[in-house]
């Protein structure tokens, strides 16, 4: 057997990525994403009232906007292939399932990257109004991309588990939410009453907790390793689920 | 004769229901095997297992000597597969879709262009090359599925109802195409249309309730009923099984 093929992975990614733009999905997603981020940052986040040249309000809302919108991208990843029957076509082509899984993930991730790039007016605004720490902003964007990747990997795995897109959406939202709030005092206090060890573990696997470091301008190796393992784990889970449930 | 498709003891159970029950056969180069049976007899399930999409409960399937589960990628390189209902990506253009398949099949550059052009030519899709697949009629969609299966000129073709939804002229063309490829390949086609068996198949298997009920040449099968007509034979074999 031959090894993992980057070529196949990219062929799948390319097809999938073009697919976003062949339908209104891409435009609707990007517009809603930008509007939500704008409203939350400028109104709720008090961007101007704070009188500080940084993107803290922008980044603090970003994971929650992703939490809502990323499952909307991923819900169709595999569920749609099942509904159309194309999963049978795709998975009987000479490619490994891991190549198909990673290809689809990369396409969705690249799409999120495009959405993030289009938030550049926020960056321009803050630079016009003052002199922010652009290094911290850059690391915040890196963190945002990693959060998107983590949520996408969860959503893709959930999509492989069902042919119903609504179920895929709700499952992805629930799992992502659990990982988002795991570090919140409300959650950790509740858990630590039963078992302090588990509460500490919950804090460690929390996506938001890890992301906060990035927004302060710190790209710590252990946080990067955390996101890489998180994404790797869910892509592996995706492959396993696909293997067992593809023909159901 | 070299068997390009070897199926041995293939069985698929869904819970307590046995969809395919100990099916064994092999197909050599030059043979066109017609796979017949009533709806729900296990035709598509058998083909899915042969294509390596659905893991069997028991038994093995090999394509050109490669096990479809343990040596899946090698087996699939030698296989052209048209799944049930000829699924394709509706948002894509015909040519874009075939280029995607060709890329996964390992082609690039000029060879990729040639392969795609050839597949489009064989299935007479030139007129709709740039149209999104979702805007095409059922017959065209089926031919896009067929083009995808033929693209890499595989030694083994497994086609689930290749002529379903085609008009009589298109049916005639597809049958002529299958006949023209037959000497160099091992081909399995499933069909409901019994006249197709006479038209293209060198051999027919009738499957009923997941079991092989008959395996013979069309001429031999026809002699099994006084009328000499294949549909009488088909009805007798499959109805008998259903009653049992």
């Amino acid at each position: 057997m031959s090894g993992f093929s980057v070529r196949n992975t990219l062929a799948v990614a390319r097809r999938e990525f073009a697919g976003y733009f062949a339908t209104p999905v891409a435009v609707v997603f990007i517009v809603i994403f930008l509007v939500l981020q704008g409203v939350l940052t400028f109104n709720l986040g008090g961007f101007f009232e704070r009188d500080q040249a940084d993107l803290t309000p922008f980044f603090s809302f970003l994971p929650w906007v992703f939490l809502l919108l990323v499952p909307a991208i991923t819900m169709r990843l595999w569920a749609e292939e099942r509904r159309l029957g194309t999963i049978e076509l795709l998975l009987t082509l000479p490619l490994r399932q891991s190549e198909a899984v990673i290809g689809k993930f990369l396409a969705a991730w690249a799409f999120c990257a495009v959405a993030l790039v289009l938030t550049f007016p926020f960056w321009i605004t803050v630079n016009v109004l003052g002199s922010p720490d652009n290094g911290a902003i850059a690391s915040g964007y890196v963190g945002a991309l990693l959060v998107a990747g983590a949520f996408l990997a969860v959503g893709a795995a959930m999509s492989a588990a069902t042919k119903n897109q609504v179920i895929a959406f709700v499952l992805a939202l629930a799992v992502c939410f659990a990982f988002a709030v795991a570090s919140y005092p409300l959650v950790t206090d509740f858990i630590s009453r039963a078992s302090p060890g588990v509460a500490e573990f919950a804090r460690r696997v929390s996506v938001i907790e890890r992301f906060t470091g990035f927004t302060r301008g710190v790209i710590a190796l252990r946080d990067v390793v955390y996101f890489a393992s998180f994404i790797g784990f869910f892509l592996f889970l995706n492959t396993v689920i696909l293997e067992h449930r593809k023909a159901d | 004769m070299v068997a390009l498709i070897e199926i041995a003891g293939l069985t698929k159970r869904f819970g307590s229901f046995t969809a395919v029950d100990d099916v064994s056969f092999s197909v050599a180069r030059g043979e066109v095997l017609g796979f017949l049976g009533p709806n729900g007899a296990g035709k598509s399930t058998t083909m899915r297992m042969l294509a390596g999409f659905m893991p069997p409960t028991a038994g093995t399937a090999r394509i050109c000597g490669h096990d479809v589960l343990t040596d899946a990628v090698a087996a699939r390189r030698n296989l052209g597969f048209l799944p049930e209902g000829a699924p394709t990506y509706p948002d894509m253009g015909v040519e874009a879709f075939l280029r995607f398949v060709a890329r996964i099949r390992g082609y690039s550059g000029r060879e990729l262009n040639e392969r795609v052009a050839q597949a489009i030519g064989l299935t007479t899709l030139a007129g709709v090359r740039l149209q999104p697949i979702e805007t095409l009629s059922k017959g065209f969609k089926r031919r896009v599925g067929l083009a995808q299966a033929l693209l890499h000129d595989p030694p083994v073709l497994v086609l689930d109802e290749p002529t379903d939804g085609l008009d009589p002229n298109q049916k005639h063309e597809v049958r002529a195409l299958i006949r023209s490829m037959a000497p160099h390949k091992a081909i399995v086609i499933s069909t409901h249309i019994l006249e197709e068996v006479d038209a293209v198949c060198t051999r027919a298997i009738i499957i009923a309730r997941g079991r092989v009920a008959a395996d013979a040449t069309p001429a031999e099968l026809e002699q099994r009923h006084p009328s000499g007509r294949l549909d009488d034979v088909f009805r007798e074999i499959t109805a008998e099984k259903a009653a049992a």
Side-chain angles (χ1 to χ4, degrees):
Chain A
M1 279 181 103
S2 53
F4 182 87
S5 161
V6 175
R7 197 192 135 88
N8 285 350
T9 309
L10 291 180
V12 172
R14 200 169 140 179
R15 195 208 70 72
E16 194 75 27
F17 188 76
Y20 291 118
F21 293 93
T23 59
V25 170
V27 175
V28 170
F29 178 89
I30 288 173
V31 168
I32 299 286
F33 172 70
L34 294 177
V35 167
L36 266 179
Q37 270 303 122
V39 169
L40 291 172
T41 305
F42 290 125
N43 299 19
L44 225 59
F47 179 78
F48 298 109
E49 293 82 352
R50 289 175 76 241
D51 208 21
Q52 284 183 38
D54 62 24
L55 284 181
T56 303
F58 172 81
F59 284 126
S60 63
F61 287 112
L62 197 55
W64 302 104
V65 173
F66 275 149
L67 178 65
L68 188 67
L69 292 183
V70 162
I73 304 183
T74 55
M75 67 179 193
R76 50 171 286 287
L77 273 186
W78 294 104
E80 178 82 348
E81 296 260 3
R82 273 168 199 273
R83 193 180 64 79
L84 293 171
T86 45
I87 190 166
E88 197 167 340
L89 178 91
L90 182 67
L91 297 183
T92 54
L93 288 173
L95 88 172
R96 287 150 174 270
Q97 285 179 73
S98 52
E99 291 161 3
V101 166
I102 294 171
K104 272 177 176 284
F105 169 76
L106 287 180
W109 209 13
F111 180 70
C112 282
V114 169
L116 272 176
V117 166
L118 291 175
T119 61
F120 70 90
F122 293 94
W123 176 73
I124 291 175
T125 310
V126 82
N127 270 282
V128 167
L129 295 176
S131 44
D133 179 355
N134 279 318
I137 291 177
S139 80
Y141 270 106
V142 170
L145 197 58
L146 291 173
V147 171
F151 287 170
L152 284 170
V154 169
M158 297 304 123
S159 181
T162 173
K163 76 168 85 176
N164 186 313
Q165 300 202 12
V166 177
I167 294 175
F169 178 83
V170 174
L171 280 178
L173 193 71
V175 176
C176 290
F177 184 74
F179 278 105
V181 299
S183 69
Y184 278 48
L186 196 69
V187 177
T188 48
D189 287 355
F190 177 75
I191 300 175
S192 63
R193 245 175 278 152
S195 157
V198 176
E200 182 53 31
F201 177 75
R203 204 174 356 253
R204 279 171 189 278
V205 298
S206 164
V207 169
I208 305 278
E209 180 86 356
R210 301 278 174 176
F211 176 58
T212 312
F214 285 90
T215 62
R216 292 190 188 122
V218 183
I219 301 184
L221 181 64
R222 61 193 156 89
D223 292 339
V224 174
V225 169
Y226 161 80
F227 277 111
S229 330
F230 188 102
I231 291 168
F233 171 77
F234 277 99
L235 291 184
F236 174 73
L237 188 68
N238 188 343
T239 312
V240 171
I241 293 173
L242 197 61
E243 178 63 42
H244 284 91
R245 306 218 45 188
K246 61 182 175 184
D248 289 0
Chain B
M1 286 222 293
V2 187
L4 298 185
I5 299 173
E6 300 157 90
I7 286 181
L10 212 57
T11 300
K12 183 70 187 180
R13 290 190 202 95
F14 298 103
S16 61
F17 174 69
T18 305
V20 175
D21 190 2
D22 195 22
V23 166
S24 302
F25 62 84
S26 53
V27 186
R29 191 185 297 276
E31 277 193 296
V32 180
L33 174 68
F35 213 48
L36 315 175
N39 286 331
K43 299 190 295 289
S44 291
T45 305
T46 305
M47 289 178 137
R48 278 188 186 136
M49 289 192 281
L50 177 55
F53 179 67
M54 189 180 266
T57 312
T60 55
R62 298 164 85 81
I63 290 173
C64 297
H66 303 286
D67 188 285
V68 297
L69 289 182
T70 58
D71 197 3
V73 174
R76 287 168 191 173
R77 278 206 188 97
N78 290 299
L79 168 72
F81 179 46
L82 176 70
E84 186 181 20
T88 45
Y89 294 103
D91 302 333
M92 294 184 97
V94 171
E95 192 176 344
F97 170 69
L98 293 175
R99 293 183 71 86
F100 163 68
V101 173
R103 221 168 279 129
I104 301 246
R105 291 271 177 211
Y107 299 111
S108 59
R110 218 176 77 191
E111 202 184 6
L112 186 145
N113 294 336
E114 281 167 11
R115 287 285 174 181
V116 170
Q118 199 181 17
I120 285 177
L122 280 174
T123 49
T124 49
L125 287 166
V128 296
R129 218 163 46 89
L130 300 175
Q131 272 191 44
I133 294 171
E134 63 189 342
T135 64
L136 300 177
S137 68
K138 200 177 170 195
F140 271 114
K141 282 181 186 155
R142 182 86 24 173
R143 276 143 69 191
V144 175
L146 206 56
Q148 160 278 125
L150 301 174
L151 189 112
H152 53 301
D153 195 20
V156 173
L157 271 179
V158 175
L159 311 174
D160 202 342
E161 301 191 342
T163 59
D164 187 42
L166 301 185
D167 69 34
N169 294 335
Q170 294 167 339
K171 275 190 181 128
H172 179 81
E173 280 166 34
V174 168
R175 285 172 195 163
L177 179 63
I178 292 173
R179 264 199 307 269
S180 73
M181 294 184 302
H184 318 289
K185 298 183 192 302
I187 303 176
V188 179
I189 61 169
S190 78
T191 181
H192 283 304
I193 310 158
L194 295 174
E195 60 178 78
E196 202 150 285
V197 178
D198 271 328
V200 294
C201 298
T202 60
R203 185 178 146 201
I205 282 182
I206 298 179
I207 188 165
R209 300 209 146 187
R211 288 176 163 274
V212 174
D215 181 354
T217 66
E220 282 165 3
L221 280 178
E222 279 157 10
Q223 284 164 11
R224 293 191 187 180
H225 194 275
S227 72
R229 280 157 41 102
L230 201 53
D231 35 348
D232 289 327
V233 180
F234 178 85
R235 208 168 299 127
E236 195 172 278
I237 291 174
T238 56
E240 184 183 86
K241 285 276 165 185

